[in-house]
Amino acid sequence: MAKNEASVPKGTRDFLPGEMVKRNYIFKIIRTVFEHFGYLPIETPAMEQVSTLTGKYGEEGDRLLFRILNSGNFLGDISDDEILERNVNKLKSFLSDKGLRYDLTVPFARFVVQHLNEITFPFKRYQIQPVWRADRPQKGRYREFFQCDVDVIGSNSLLNEAEQIQIIDEIFKKLGIKILIRINNRKILSGIAEVIGEADKIIPITIAIDKLDKIGPHKVNEELAVKGVSEKAIHELQPILDLTGSVGEKLNELEKKILLRSGIGRKGVDEMKKLFGYLKTFDLEVDPIFDLTLARGLDYYTGTIIEVNSTEMKIGSLCGGGRYDDLTGVFGLKDVSGIGVSFGADRIYDVMEKMGKFPEDTTSTTTLMFVNFGEKEEIHCLSLLAEIRKSGINAELFPDKVRLKKQMNYANKKNVEYVALVGEDEMKNRLITLKNMKTGDHEKIKLKELIEKLS
RNA sequence: GUGGUUGUAGCUCAGUUGGUUAGAGCGCUGGAUUGUGGUUCCAGAGGUCGCCGGUUCGAUCCCGGUCUUCCACCCCA
């Protein structure tokens, strides 16, 4: 066999034990909070039918889908003419009918429709699985990454929006990450597009104003013009984007003046008022802000949109989501509304690692290690080990009788908290020499005392 | 998908204006120290200088391609 270079594909990574322990710490907190709020776990396959995935994420999203090559002699079904035509998009349908999931929301919508009779509404689920995007990797941007989604489907109540904000607040509080939560509503954006007379250009308009704080008003206006938004409309947009004041003041201004003639716009304002009303009654660590320039690209959002960023590190959003009124519609189930947000575990990891947010004890999993002194001692230690494990303490016995220095070194590298030394003396006296690896102290104690101490 | 950037020991990086044997620190292995690790001292192992091709008497260095990294755009977790 030819010698292969050991490598993983672009934008993918291996995780070492030290990293996995920290990743699991993040997953555990997220999962625990999800369950506190009454969400139940599901999983879906890594791959979906291509038809399930395409057309849900906009043109850009379709481009980023990983497709899986069909098996068998798929070229046999294609005529020579079709091959010579070299129409990639047309040929794709012959070559590939499965794709790796791009997110967890669309597969979830498919799941809901497929299992309609097995679930009860409102259906609250969470899902922690990897997704794949054929993006150009950068820092905090991978081709394979884990999303942690929470969604409620089958309820229009804004209570769900409020609950999701609570979940976000609690998770980041528990992780110790400082964040900014921004909220907006697609209906307000639609209303604005409507009143400036460019209702059909809602998507390019939202994408452009999303960049306001990044590239400035001048460049945004340029982009709007390029996308065919009229000069008059751009002019009318300016005072709207310049709105200042408290959440209430902004919403009043929108309701009473700007969106007076837009039914959908006023509905969006109503929703925001109600949502912020709920939020006021919560005791949140971070107060979410109303950001009129927040847009978010995914095509399927129709109401509230939410995005969370780190205030300590420059990296893409850590969490994002929103309400989608008809995502199940394309799978044949009309008028079922859902809302959900997705936590990016990998970016959360990057922030926590960079800012030193991991508690120290997340780096160790073994509490006690027995030194190996030879065959007789091994047998003796094995029975002690069994007792210790039975009482819930993580413990191991070094498998080889090698120099003590090497065994201690192993324990040290692995951040083992205590080392037990049991040789002839200890065996005779039914004692264990217990060494604390942090302080270096050691004492001879009985098994019972040891278990009490480490429990 | 567009433009740029990076790649030398396990890790972080020097270096060679194209010329015999490519270096450091950390780490690793062994010893000082055969029941006490993280300190110290001594010794040692480890590199087709990302991969493929071209130019050249000769390439780790120049040129082309490719993979990878990071960055900006795009988009997003």
Side-chain angles (χ1 to χ4, degrees):
Chain A
M1 203 168 96
K3 195 174 149 190
N4 290 331
E5 195 193 339
S7 67
V8 295
K10 185 200 289 204
T12 67
R13 299 146 303 151
D14 288 325
F15 300 110
L16 291 153
E19 296 169 306
M20 276 314 293
V21 171
K22 292 178 185 171
R23 283 173 68 84
N24 286 341
Y25 168 79
I26 294 172
F27 288 131
K28 191 178 168 191
I29 287 181
I30 290 176
R31 183 176 294 117
T32 305
V33 173
F34 287 171
E35 289 180 356
H36 272 159
F37 282 83
Y39 292 78
L40 295 169
I42 69 159
E43 288 198 1
T44 63
M47 62 185 105
E48 293 278 346
Q49 313 286 12
V50 156
S51 58
T52 300
L53 301 172
T54 48
K56 314 297 189 299
Y57 310 108
E59 219 175 288
E60 190 67 21
D62 280 359
R63 208 197 73 214
L64 298 176
L65 287 177
F66 273 113
R67 289 162 172 270
I68 296 171
L69 196 60
N70 287 346
S71 312
N73 181 21
F74 45 76
L75 288 179
D77 297 333
I78 311 178
S79 71
D80 291 358
D81 287 348
E82 281 166 328
I83 290 173
L84 288 172
E85 223 180 288
R86 293 178 195 280
N87 182 331
V88 173
N89 284 328
K90 194 168 164 191
L91 287 176
K92 269 182 187 166
S93 61
F94 290 100
L95 306 180
S96 156
D97 50 35
K98 296 176 290 300
L100 294 176
R101 61 166 170 254
Y102 176 93
D103 71 358
L104 301 178
T105 307
V106 168
F108 175 52
R110 189 226 85 219
F111 175 100
V112 166
V113 177
Q114 194 172 330
H115 300 281
L116 204 51
N117 296 325
E118 300 156 78
I119 57 182
T120 29
F121 291 107
F123 183 51
K124 299 171 75 167
R125 73 89 231 226
Y126 74 86
Q127 188 172 355
I128 299 176
Q129 289 191 278
V131 302
W132 296 268
R133 296 182 189 177
D135 215 338
R136 279 265 174 101
Q138 286 181 32
K139 200 164 215 77
R141 188 174 199 169
Y142 308 99
R143 288 188 147 187
E144 177 183 64
F145 60 97
F146 270 74
Q147 288 196 327
C148 313
D149 272 37
V150 247
D151 289 74
V152 185
I153 200 157
S155 164
N156 286 306
S157 168
L158 287 152
L159 225 38
N160 298 305
E161 267 88 338
E163 178 173 280
Q164 302 246 322
I165 304 278
Q166 266 183 304
I167 290 174
I168 290 170
D169 188 70
E170 183 153 340
I171 285 175
F172 285 106
K173 184 169 83 185
K174 284 198 164 146
L175 291 170
I177 299 178
K178 296 204 171 66
I179 51 158
L180 175 69
I181 305 174
R182 294 180 298 146
I183 305 177
N184 195 7
N185 193 300
R186 272 282 167 87
K187 293 191 178 78
I188 293 179
L189 294 171
S190 295
I192 291 170
E194 196 175 279
V195 297
I196 64 171
E198 298 279 4
D200 57 320
K201 298 222 169 58
I202 170 71
I203 288 174
I205 289 173
T206 55
I207 288 173
I209 65 176
D210 193 31
K211 296 174 195 159
L212 242 180
D213 53 343
K214 201 169 169 188
I215 61 175
H218 191 70
K219 285 256 169 81
V220 168
N221 290 345
E222 267 176 28
E223 180 167 330
L224 287 168
V226 169
K227 298 285 181 190
V229 177
S230 75
E231 213 171 292
K232 181 167 163 279
I234 294 175
H235 184 73
E236 285 175 5
L237 190 60
Q238 300 315 303
I240 302 172
L241 298 180
D242 290 340
L243 267 186
T244 52
S246 68
V247 175
E249 286 165 357
K250 282 191 204 166
L251 288 171
N252 273 331
E253 186 79 4
L254 283 166
E255 184 181 27
K256 303 269 160 58
K257 293 186 186 159
I258 298 163
L259 298 175
L260 209 55
R261 281 174 298 121
S262 166
I264 189 165
R266 285 204 315 278
K267 183 144 196 301
V269 172
D270 276 351
E271 289 180 10
M272 288 296 275
K273 280 188 164 173
K274 193 154 188 192
L275 173 56
F276 274 95
Y278 285 131
L279 293 179
K280 238 184 2 210
T281 69
F282 298 154
D283 183 24
L284 296 175
E285 185 85 2
V286 176
D287 284 324
I289 63 162
F290 169 40
D291 183 352
L292 203 49
T293 69
L294 174 66
R296 295 189 58 78
L298 290 180
D299 276 12
Y300 50 69
Y301 293 129
T302 51
T304 308
I305 43 182
I306 302 165
E307 193 163 302
V308 178
N309 288 87
S310 164
T311 54
E312 300 167 287
M313 179 177 164
K314 195 185 163 250
I315 192 166
S317 55
L318 301 181
C319 175
R323 182 168 285 277
Y324 41 92
D325 277 336
D326 197 29
L327 193 50
T328 56
V330 288
F331 302 111
L333 179 65
K334 295 285 178 202
D335 299 323
V336 175
S337 182
I339 167 138
V341 292
S342 180
F343 294 77
D346 304 78
R347 284 182 182 173
I348 289 173
Y349 179 96
D350 289 345
V351 171
M352 292 188 64
E353 184 66 19
K354 179 99 182 279
M355 308 311 292
K357 304 278 188 189
F358 286 108
E360 245 182 69
D361 59 6
T362 49
T363 53
S364 158
T365 55
T366 302
T367 309
L368 176 68
M369 185 196 89
F370 277 86
V371 164
N372 192 319
F373 283 122
E375 277 178 44
K376 257 201 295 189
E377 289 87 346
E378 274 174 14
I379 302 293
H380 183 78
C381 288
L382 281 174
S383 61
L384 297 174
L385 201 50
E387 283 299 311
I388 288 165
R389 286 184 181 141
K390 216 183 275 174
S391 62
I393 297 164
N394 295 351
E396 62 182 303
L397 165 66
F398 197 88
D400 303 292
K401 190 209 170 201
V402 292
R403 282 173 42 245
L404 191 56
K405 175 170 176 159
K406 187 167 171 140
Q407 302 193 37
M408 296 299 281
N409 226 322
Y410 169 87
N412 201 40
K413 286 268 164 60
K414 208 170 164 181
N415 276 321
V416 173
E417 288 173 61
Y418 292 92
V419 168
L421 299 103
V422 181
E424 264 179 60
D425 261 15
E426 286 89 346
M427 279 166 68
K428 216 185 323 174
N429 302 319
R430 310 195 131 270
L431 290 172
I432 297 165
T433 297
L434 182 69
K435 178 178 170 107
N436 182 322
M437 291 297 279
K438 275 221 181 75
T439 62
D441 302 339
H442 49 100
E443 54 180 333
K444 288 197 179 181
I445 57 174
K446 293 199 175 103
L447 176 64
K448 225 172 127 186
E449 296 168 321
L450 182 147
I451 288 173
E452 239 167 68
K453 186 166 179 160
L454 303 196
S455 290

